[in-house]
Amino acid sequence: MTSTSNQLHQPAADYQDRISRQAFEQLVSVRGEGDEWDFKVTLGDITKNHARVNLAKDALAFCNLPGGGTIIVGVTDDFNHVGLTDAERIDTTAIRRAIERFVDGDFIVVAAEHKLTDPGTGEEKRYGMIHFRRRFAQPVLAALDGQITNDRPVVFRSGDILIRRGAASIRANSGDVRRLFTNSIVHEERVRAVNELWSCLVEQRRLMGGVEYLYDILIDNEYPDAITRPSLREALGHLTEGRHADDVDRLQLRVSLVRPHIPEELYQQYRACAAFVGRLHMKAIWQRDAEVFLPWTELQDGSPDLPLQNLALALIPQDELNAYWTGQPAGDGTYRPVRPVIDAAERGVLKSINLVLSGLG
């Protein structure tokens, strides 16, 4: 298993996709601004208060979108691609330092520069790409007044919640605020539900005991010896079929209590993974009691365990599963460890979990 932690967090690496070359090429070709993206010819001098306040205003609004928002720097209001000036640099740390004192709430900012060749002149130009997003479900607020100069109106006030509407970053009205906090509560319930689902998968895998260990150290012509040697037989544990069924039912009950907050696709993947691990464990219990140890890919009569294979195919690509299923030649037998295939099945669940956790709306 890739991790034994019961708590899941959205990996920061996921945010790098928002500033990838592919994402840049998709956005820079758009003519028009929207809720989730904005074009700027320059950020200005972000060591100065004027530029900091204006950037903070957009950052606060983008952070309150479900998926965050992105600024492309080097494009004019009429969508001419002029690029960055020679002196301008797009730096994640500098951007965070410029705005963080204005932001009340934990947020992510990632930035990158990309180059694009002007098809008319052949000139290569640099562009900036900055993605802002809140880290947790709660909306972010303005921590300070956005005051550019004392003789001008404030851009935003301390405690304001800003949102995007079209191409503008504006103060949220009462309806917007209710929606943001409602979505926050819904997402928190979903995160708790997903953590409970993962906790149950971790606990079920622990029921496997040393069964994984045996498959991982033995080749198939050594399996008969596993039952005759007490040190190896002990790895198969003492759990009975009835106790195992009770434990799995208890875990399933825990998941059923949070199912209303879990997307159906994720729930079905959990069921497939839990059934896959459960079938492997029940097979080990039967083999222990029958004093026989067989490849995990086979039924008691030596035929392929097609139901087990179908469960795995719900989570693992066919080519990858075929490699696990066939195993590797080793001496006079075949080495067919079970740990990698369970890890692969759990990665399928984790992929869906990360998609759920990445959607803050």
Side-chain angles (χ1 to χ4, degrees):
M1 186 160 46
T2 54
S3 172
T4 58
S5 172
N6 289 356
Q7 299 297 310
L8 293 159
H9 305 279
Q10 187 178 357
D14 287 356
Y15 299 111
Q16 298 298 325
D17 292 341
R18 303 303 184 105
I19 55 170
S20 67
R21 178 71 189 185
Q22 181 181 8
F24 168 73
E25 291 178 350
Q26 289 174 343
L27 274 183
V28 79
S29 63
V30 175
R31 291 188 63 84
E33 296 174 332
D35 288 353
E36 298 177 359
W37 70 93
D38 195 9
F39 296 120
K40 293 186 181 298
V41 67
T42 180
L43 294 183
D45 183 355
I46 58 173
T47 66
K48 306 297 185 183
N49 189 59
H50 179 278
R52 288 183 172 190
V53 169
N54 285 325
L55 182 57
K57 181 180 79 168
D58 288 329
L60 285 163
F62 279 134
C63 283
N64 284 326
L65 289 173
T70 303
I71 296 174
I72 300 291
V73 188
V75 180
T76 66
D77 290 341
D78 52 358
F79 314 117
N80 288 325
H81 295 173
V82 297
L84 300 173
T85 65
D86 290 341
E88 188 163 14
R89 296 289 181 269
I90 302 300
D91 178 79
T92 299
T93 302
I95 292 168
R96 171 173 279 278
R97 286 175 177 168
I99 65 171
E100 60 186 353
R101 70 189 184 97
F102 294 103
V103 182
D104 182 1
D106 203 353
F107 71 101
I108 292 283
V109 56
V110 285
E113 291 187 8
H114 295 285
K115 294 181 179 179
L116 197 64
T117 301
D118 188 316
T121 65
E123 180 185 0
E124 188 177 66
K125 300 176 180 178
R126 294 183 302 115
Y127 296 84
M129 190 173 192
I130 312 160
H131 180 74
F132 299 99
R133 186 168 181 173
R134 66 187 188 268
R135 189 182 295 273
F136 302 115
Q138 298 86 350
V140 300
L141 287 70
L144 301 171
D145 287 353
Q147 182 81 54
I148 294 177
T149 59
N150 291 333
D151 60 344
R152 295 179 60 181
V154 294
V155 177
F156 51 83
R157 293 195 177 276
S158 175
D160 276 353
I161 294 177
L162 274 64
I163 62 167
R164 291 284 291 183
R165 186 160 290 144
S169 299
I170 63 172
R171 291 189 182 94
N173 60 35
S174 59
D176 297 322
V177 172
R178 283 195 300 271
R179 174 179 53 80
L180 281 167
F181 279 100
T182 298
N183 289 346
S184 169
I185 293 169
V186 168
H187 182 70
E188 287 179 350
E189 289 292 338
R190 178 166 287 186
V191 170
R192 281 193 286 269
V194 167
N195 277 327
E196 178 71 350
L197 179 147
W198 181 249
S199 174
C200 288
L201 272 184
V202 171
E203 191 168 333
Q204 181 171 350
R205 186 162 182 180
R206 286 174 180 155
L207 296 178
M208 289 279 290
V211 178
E212 295 179 49
Y213 160 74
L214 287 187
Y215 282 120
D216 289 351
I217 66 169
L218 301 175
I219 58 176
D220 57 4
N221 63 6
E222 296 174 316
Y223 289 171
D225 191 42
I227 296 298
T228 62
R229 291 172 57 184
S231 60
L232 295 181
R233 182 186 175 92
E234 184 69 20
L236 294 173
H238 304 281
L239 201 62
T240 64
E241 290 186 17
R243 175 63 185 277
H244 179 268
D246 289 343
D247 287 345
V248 171
D249 286 345
R250 174 177 52 82
L251 296 174
Q252 177 58 40
L253 176 61
R254 285 171 53 186
V255 173
S256 68
L257 293 175
V258 297
R259 184 178 178 183
H261 305 292
I262 299 172
E264 183 62 21
E265 181 180 358
L266 174 57
Y267 177 73
Q268 293 302 330
Q269 288 192 309
Y270 157 77
R271 289 293 303 273
C273 189
F276 178 77
V277 175
R279 187 175 179 88
L280 284 172
H281 196 194
M282 288 293 282
K283 184 180 295 190
I285 292 172
W286 175 87
Q287 291 177 3
R288 179 200 65 202
D289 294 343
E291 298 190 342
V292 62
F293 196 56
L294 301 171
W296 58 268
T297 56
E298 295 180 4
L299 295 170
Q300 299 169 14
D301 61 4
S303 62
D305 190 343
L306 297 181
L308 183 70
Q309 188 177 52
N310 289 332
L311 288 170
L313 282 173
L315 297 158
I316 305 171
Q318 178 80 65
D319 291 347
E320 184 179 355
L321 179 61
N322 287 345
Y324 298 133
W325 201 267
T326 303
Q328 307 167 12
D332 296 330
T334 301
Y335 177 58
R336 195 180 283 109
V338 75
R339 188 184 304 269
V341 74
I342 300 178
D343 287 346
E346 289 180 344
R347 283 196 299 273
V349 179
L350 279 171
K351 183 178 180 180
S352 290
I353 285 174
N354 285 335
L355 289 175
V356 171
L357 296 185
S358 68
L360 294 178

